[in-house]
Protein backbone atom coordinates (compact mmCIF):
# COMPACT_ATOMS: atom_id res chain seq x y z
CA UNK A 1 0.00 0.00 0.00
CA UNK A 2 2.12 2.87 -1.32
CA UNK A 3 -0.94 5.10 -1.27
CA UNK A 4 -3.76 5.24 1.25
CA UNK A 5 -6.78 5.36 -0.99
CA UNK A 6 -9.65 7.29 0.58
CA UNK A 7 -13.29 6.83 -0.34
CA UNK A 8 -14.89 10.31 -0.64
CA UNK A 9 -16.87 9.56 2.56
CA UNK A 10 -13.57 9.23 4.49
CA UNK A 11 -13.14 13.00 4.16
CA UNK A 12 -14.48 14.80 7.21
CA UNK A 13 -13.43 18.08 5.58
CA UNK A 14 -10.88 19.21 2.95
CA UNK A 15 -8.16 18.78 5.53
CA UNK A 16 -9.24 15.87 7.73
CA UNK A 17 -9.68 12.19 6.80
CA UNK A 18 -10.82 9.27 8.91
CA UNK A 19 -9.90 5.67 7.89
CA UNK A 20 -11.82 2.79 9.49
CA UNK A 21 -11.27 -0.07 7.02
CA UNK A 22 -9.62 -2.92 9.01
CA UNK A 23 -7.32 -3.93 6.10
CA UNK A 24 -5.86 -0.45 5.80
CA UNK A 25 -5.53 -0.06 9.57
CA UNK A 26 -3.70 -3.38 9.80
CA UNK A 27 -1.40 -2.36 6.95
CA UNK A 28 -0.66 0.99 8.59
CA UNK A 29 0.27 -0.75 11.84
CA UNK A 30 2.05 -3.86 10.56
CA UNK A 31 3.69 -2.79 7.29
CA UNK A 32 4.18 0.97 7.57
CA UNK A 33 4.62 0.68 11.36
CA UNK A 34 3.11 4.14 11.29
CA UNK A 35 3.14 6.44 14.31
CA UNK A 36 1.32 9.74 14.87
CA UNK A 37 3.41 12.47 13.25
CA UNK A 38 4.41 10.29 10.24
CA UNK A 39 3.71 11.76 6.80
CA UNK A 40 2.15 9.38 4.29
CA UNK A 41 0.83 9.56 0.73
CA UNK A 42 -2.94 9.63 0.36
CA UNK A 43 -5.31 9.85 -2.59
CA UNK A 44 -9.04 10.24 -3.10
CA UNK A 45 -10.80 7.63 -5.21
CA UNK A 46 -11.09 9.12 -8.73
CA UNK A 47 -9.35 12.26 -7.44
CA UNK A 48 -6.00 13.80 -6.53
CA UNK A 49 -3.00 12.64 -4.52
CA UNK A 50 -0.97 14.38 -1.81
CA UNK A 51 0.55 14.02 1.64
CA UNK A 52 -1.05 13.84 5.04
CA UNK A 53 0.12 13.66 8.64
CA UNK A 54 -1.09 10.76 10.74
CA UNK A 55 -2.79 12.29 13.78
CA UNK A 56 -4.15 9.20 15.56
CA UNK A 57 -4.04 5.42 15.01
CA UNK A 58 -5.77 2.74 17.07
CA UNK A 59 -7.54 -0.58 16.40
CA UNK A 60 -10.66 1.16 15.09
CA UNK A 61 -9.56 4.21 13.14
CA UNK A 62 -6.79 6.40 11.85
CA UNK A 63 -7.11 10.15 11.34
CA UNK A 64 -5.00 12.27 9.02
CA UNK A 65 -4.44 16.02 8.64
CA UNK A 66 -4.30 16.44 4.88
CA UNK A 67 -2.24 18.78 2.71
CA UNK A 68 -3.93 19.66 -0.57
CA UNK A 69 -4.53 16.38 -2.44
CA UNK A 70 -3.95 18.09 -5.76
CA UNK A 71 -1.44 15.94 -7.63
CA UNK A 72 -2.87 14.03 -10.61
CA UNK A 73 -2.65 10.21 -10.67
CA UNK A 74 -0.18 8.71 -13.16
CA UNK A 75 -1.28 8.52 -16.81
CA UNK A 76 -3.31 5.51 -17.95
CA UNK A 77 -2.09 3.09 -20.63
CA UNK A 78 -3.91 3.51 -23.97
CA UNK A 79 -5.16 -0.05 -23.90
CA UNK A 80 -8.36 -2.02 -23.50
CA UNK A 81 -7.39 -5.50 -22.31
CA UNK A 82 -9.55 -8.45 -23.35
CA UNK A 83 -8.59 -11.36 -21.17
CA UNK A 84 -9.98 -14.87 -21.53
CA UNK A 85 -11.20 -15.61 -18.01
CA UNK A 86 -8.34 -17.30 -16.09
CA UNK A 87 -8.72 -19.52 -13.02
CA UNK A 88 -9.86 -17.55 -9.96
CA UNK A 89 -6.52 -17.18 -8.18
CA UNK A 90 -4.79 -16.13 -11.37
CA UNK A 91 -7.63 -13.72 -12.10
CA UNK A 92 -7.11 -12.05 -8.74
CA UNK A 93 -3.37 -11.60 -9.30
CA UNK A 94 -3.77 -10.54 -12.92
CA UNK A 95 -6.36 -7.88 -12.05
CA UNK A 96 -3.99 -6.50 -9.45
CA UNK A 97 -0.98 -6.46 -11.79
CA UNK A 98 -2.73 -4.91 -14.78
CA UNK A 99 -4.34 -2.26 -12.57
CA UNK A 100 -0.92 -1.39 -11.13
CA UNK A 101 0.43 -1.14 -14.68
CA UNK A 102 -2.24 1.42 -15.64
CA UNK A 103 -4.89 -0.53 -17.58
CA UNK A 104 -8.29 1.20 -17.27
CA UNK A 105 -10.54 -0.99 -19.40
CA UNK A 106 -10.73 -4.73 -18.91
CA UNK A 107 -13.07 -7.23 -20.57
CA UNK A 108 -13.17 -10.77 -19.17
CA UNK A 109 -14.15 -13.07 -22.03
CA UNK A 110 -15.41 -16.61 -22.38
CA UNK A 111 -13.55 -18.69 -24.94
CA UNK A 112 -13.72 -22.41 -25.72
CA UNK A 113 -10.89 -23.34 -23.35
CA UNK A 114 -12.18 -21.34 -20.39
CA UNK A 115 -13.59 -23.69 -17.73
CA UNK A 116 -17.31 -22.90 -17.45
CA UNK A 117 -17.11 -23.24 -13.65
CA UNK A 118 -14.79 -20.20 -13.48
CA UNK A 119 -17.83 -18.00 -14.23
CA UNK A 120 -19.41 -19.12 -10.91
CA UNK A 121 -16.36 -18.13 -8.86
CA UNK A 122 -16.87 -15.74 -5.92
CA UNK A 123 -13.82 -13.88 -7.32
CA UNK A 124 -16.18 -12.44 -9.93
CA UNK A 125 -18.44 -10.81 -7.34
CA UNK A 126 -18.24 -7.03 -7.80
CA UNK A 127 -16.87 -6.46 -4.26
CA UNK A 128 -14.08 -9.00 -4.84
CA UNK A 129 -13.14 -7.49 -8.20
CA UNK A 130 -13.22 -4.03 -6.60
CA UNK A 131 -10.88 -5.19 -3.85
CA UNK A 132 -8.28 -6.48 -6.36
CA UNK A 133 -8.48 -3.27 -8.37
CA UNK A 134 -8.02 -1.22 -5.19
CA UNK A 135 -4.92 -3.23 -4.26
CA UNK A 136 -3.46 -2.52 -7.72
CA UNK A 137 -4.22 1.19 -7.39
CA UNK A 138 -2.67 1.40 -3.92
CA UNK A 139 0.42 -0.44 -5.16
CA UNK A 140 0.96 1.97 -8.06
CA UNK A 141 -0.17 5.21 -6.35
CA UNK A 142 -3.12 5.61 -8.66
CA UNK A 143 -6.71 6.64 -7.90
CA UNK A 144 -8.66 5.84 -11.07
CA UNK A 145 -10.46 2.50 -11.02
CA UNK A 146 -10.50 0.39 -14.19
CA UNK A 147 -13.89 -0.57 -15.65
CA UNK A 148 -14.39 -4.34 -15.81
CA UNK A 149 -16.91 -5.93 -18.20
CA UNK A 150 -17.88 -9.60 -18.32
CA UNK A 151 -18.50 -11.18 -21.75
CA UNK A 152 -19.84 -14.69 -21.24
CA UNK A 153 -20.23 -15.59 -24.91
CA UNK A 154 -17.44 -15.58 -27.50
CA UNK A 155 -19.70 -15.32 -30.54
CA UNK A 156 -21.78 -12.37 -29.26
CA UNK A 157 -18.51 -10.66 -28.32
CA UNK A 158 -17.11 -11.31 -31.80
CA UNK A 159 -20.21 -10.18 -33.66
CA UNK A 160 -21.68 -7.45 -31.47
CA UNK A 161 -18.89 -5.93 -29.37
CA UNK A 162 -15.59 -6.41 -31.21
CA UNK A 163 -16.31 -4.14 -34.20
CA UNK A 164 -17.00 -1.22 -31.84
CA UNK A 165 -13.94 -1.96 -29.71
CA UNK A 166 -11.74 -2.03 -32.82
CA UNK A 167 -13.05 1.32 -34.08
CA UNK A 168 -10.12 3.69 -33.45
CA UNK A 169 -7.98 0.99 -31.82
CA UNK A 170 -5.25 -1.30 -33.12
CA UNK A 171 -6.28 -4.88 -32.33
CA UNK A 172 -3.44 -7.15 -31.19
CA UNK A 173 -4.03 -10.84 -30.63
CA UNK A 174 -1.33 -12.43 -28.48
CA UNK A 175 -0.94 -16.02 -29.57
CA UNK A 176 2.19 -18.20 -29.68
CA UNK A 177 3.38 -18.96 -33.21
CA UNK A 178 1.94 -15.85 -34.86
CA UNK A 179 4.15 -14.40 -37.60
CA UNK A 180 4.78 -10.92 -36.12
CA UNK A 181 6.75 -10.15 -32.98
CA UNK A 182 5.00 -8.04 -30.34
CA UNK A 183 5.70 -4.37 -31.21
CA UNK A 184 7.60 -2.14 -28.77
CA UNK A 185 6.99 1.34 -27.44
CA UNK A 186 3.72 2.13 -29.22
CA UNK A 187 1.37 4.97 -28.27
CA UNK A 188 -1.63 4.02 -30.41
CA UNK A 189 -4.92 3.16 -28.67
CA UNK A 190 -4.87 -0.62 -28.59
CA UNK A 191 -7.18 -3.55 -27.99
CA UNK A 192 -5.02 -6.38 -26.61
CA UNK A 193 -6.46 -9.91 -26.54
CA UNK A 194 -4.89 -12.57 -24.32
CA UNK A 195 -6.01 -16.18 -24.31
CA UNK A 196 -6.84 -18.64 -21.55
CA UNK A 197 -4.42 -21.09 -19.95
CA UNK A 198 -5.11 -23.61 -22.73
CA UNK A 199 -4.81 -20.89 -25.43
CA UNK A 200 -7.25 -19.77 -28.12
CA UNK A 201 -8.55 -22.54 -30.40
CA UNK A 202 -7.69 -22.21 -34.13
CA UNK A 203 -11.27 -21.15 -35.02
CA UNK A 204 -11.11 -18.29 -32.50
CA UNK A 205 -7.75 -17.17 -33.86
CA UNK A 206 -9.10 -17.27 -37.41
CA UNK A 207 -12.19 -15.22 -36.50
CA UNK A 208 -10.24 -12.62 -34.51
CA UNK A 209 -7.78 -12.17 -37.39
CA UNK A 210 -10.67 -11.92 -39.88
CA UNK A 211 -12.22 -9.22 -37.66
CA UNK A 212 -9.08 -7.11 -38.11
CA UNK A 213 -6.78 -8.08 -35.22
CA UNK A 214 -3.06 -8.55 -35.88
CA UNK A 215 -1.53 -11.73 -34.48
CA UNK A 216 1.59 -11.15 -32.37
CA UNK A 217 3.98 -13.41 -30.46
CA UNK A 218 6.39 -12.99 -27.57
CA UNK A 219 8.95 -15.51 -28.77
CA UNK A 220 9.19 -19.26 -28.29
CA UNK A 221 8.58 -19.29 -24.52
CA UNK A 222 4.98 -19.99 -23.60
CA UNK A 223 4.19 -17.83 -20.61
CA UNK A 224 1.51 -18.13 -17.95
CA UNK A 225 -1.36 -15.71 -18.46
CA UNK A 226 -0.29 -13.31 -15.69
CA UNK A 227 3.33 -13.29 -16.93
CA UNK A 228 2.28 -12.92 -20.57
CA UNK A 229 0.00 -9.95 -19.79
CA UNK A 230 2.74 -8.19 -17.83
CA UNK A 231 5.35 -8.86 -20.54
CA UNK A 232 2.98 -7.70 -23.29
CA UNK A 233 2.05 -4.44 -21.53
CA UNK A 234 5.66 -3.67 -20.60
CA UNK A 235 6.85 -4.29 -24.13
CA UNK A 236 3.97 -2.57 -25.94
CA UNK A 237 3.91 0.65 -23.88
N1 LIG B 1 -0.78 -23.85 -25.02
C1 LIG B 1 -1.36 -22.51 -25.13
C2 LIG B 1 -1.15 -21.98 -26.54
O1 LIG B 1 -0.21 -22.45 -27.22
O2 LIG B 1 -1.82 -21.06 -26.96
C3 LIG B 1 -0.68 -21.64 -24.11
C4 LIG B 1 -1.53 -20.53 -23.65
S1 LIG B 1 -0.70 -19.33 -22.63
C5 LIG B 1 -0.51 -20.23 -21.12
C6 LIG B 1 -1.98 -18.22 -22.28
C7 LIG B 1 -2.02 -16.99 -23.14
O3 LIG B 1 -0.89 -16.16 -22.89
C8 LIG B 1 -1.97 -17.26 -24.64
O4 LIG B 1 -3.26 -17.57 -25.16
C9 LIG B 1 -1.44 -15.94 -25.18
O5 LIG B 1 -2.46 -14.98 -25.30
C10 LIG B 1 -0.47 -15.53 -24.09
N2 LIG B 1 0.89 -16.00 -24.38
C11 LIG B 1 1.66 -16.77 -23.59
N3 LIG B 1 2.88 -16.96 -24.14
C12 LIG B 1 2.86 -16.30 -25.32
C13 LIG B 1 3.82 -16.12 -26.36
N4 LIG B 1 5.03 -16.65 -26.31
N5 LIG B 1 3.46 -15.37 -27.44
C14 LIG B 1 2.23 -14.81 -27.50
N6 LIG B 1 1.29 -14.96 -26.56
C15 LIG B 1 1.60 -15.68 -25.48
Amino acid sequence: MNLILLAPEALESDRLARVTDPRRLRHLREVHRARPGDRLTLGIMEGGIGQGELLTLDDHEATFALDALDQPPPPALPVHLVLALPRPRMLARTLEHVTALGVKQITLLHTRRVEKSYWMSPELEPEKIHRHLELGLEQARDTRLPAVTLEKGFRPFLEDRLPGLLAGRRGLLAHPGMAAACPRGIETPTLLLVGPEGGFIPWEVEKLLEAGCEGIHLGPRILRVETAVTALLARLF
Side-chain angles (χ1 to χ4, degrees):
M1 192 167 71
N2 296 310
L3 170 89
I4 296 153
L5 195 53
L6 303 170
E9 43 298 356
L11 293 181
E12 303 266 307
S13 72
D14 279 10
R15 294 296 158 121
L16 183 69
R18 192 177 301 282
V19 174
T20 54
D21 170 37
R23 176 181 66 83
R24 292 193 173 95
L25 293 175
R26 202 168 44 249
H27 196 91
L28 279 168
R29 280 196 308 271
E30 294 172 10
V31 181
H32 286 281
R33 302 197 176 268
R35 300 249 182 283
D38 287 357
R39 292 184 62 74
L40 296 162
T41 304
L42 298 104
I44 304 173
M45 189 63 91
E46 304 298 332
I49 296 173
Q51 296 277 304
E53 181 183 328
L54 182 63
L55 298 176
T56 62
L57 173 63
D58 62 27
D59 289 348
H60 308 290
E61 67 170 31
T63 55
F64 289 90
L66 304 175
D67 298 348
L69 302 186
D70 57 2
Q71 301 300 308
L77 294 185
V79 67
H80 185 137
L81 175 66
V82 178
L83 185 66
L85 184 67
R87 72 181 62 226
R89 277 178 54 208
M90 192 172 301
L91 171 68
R93 291 197 299 264
T94 306
L95 286 176
E96 229 176 286
H97 294 328
V98 303
T99 303
L101 286 165
V103 176
K104 297 296 172 198
Q105 288 159 308
I106 303 168
T107 295
L108 299 175
L109 176 65
H110 186 69
T111 66
R112 177 74 68 80
R113 291 188 180 139
V114 169
E115 279 274 345
K116 290 215 173 75
S117 64
Y118 294 171
W119 289 103
M120 323 283 205
S121 163
E123 289 299 330
L124 284 177
E125 286 166 11
E127 312 75 56
K128 284 281 183 99
I129 289 186
H130 185 89
R131 177 50 59 98
H132 298 306
L133 303 179
E134 267 188 351
L135 289 172
L137 292 180
E138 289 174 347
Q139 176 61 41
R141 289 195 170 164
D142 194 352
T143 60
R144 292 199 201 114
L145 272 176
V148 178
T149 312
L150 309 188
E151 290 284 347
K152 297 186 182 176
F154 183 80
R155 197 182 276 273
F157 169 79
L158 185 72
E159 292 171 359
D160 305 334
R161 291 269 295 133
L162 187 59
L165 291 174
L166 285 175
R169 290 192 184 89
R170 179 177 182 185
L172 296 178
L173 167 65
H175 185 61
M178 292 279 99
C182 176
R184 293 172 192 270
I186 64 172
E187 289 173 7
T188 335
T190 299
L191 184 76
L192 174 65
L193 296 104
V194 176
E197 285 154 282
F200 290 110
I201 61 170
W203 179 82
E204 290 163 345
V205 173
E206 189 187 311
K207 290 293 164 193
L208 291 169
L209 295 178
E210 267 175 31
C213 297
E214 300 164 46
I216 56 165
H217 71 79
L218 273 175
R221 293 177 193 275
I222 309 295
L223 305 174
R224 279 171 183 263
V225 173
E226 62 185 313
T227 316
V229 175
T230 306
L232 286 160
L233 292 173
R235 181 155 152 165
L236 283 169
F237 305 107

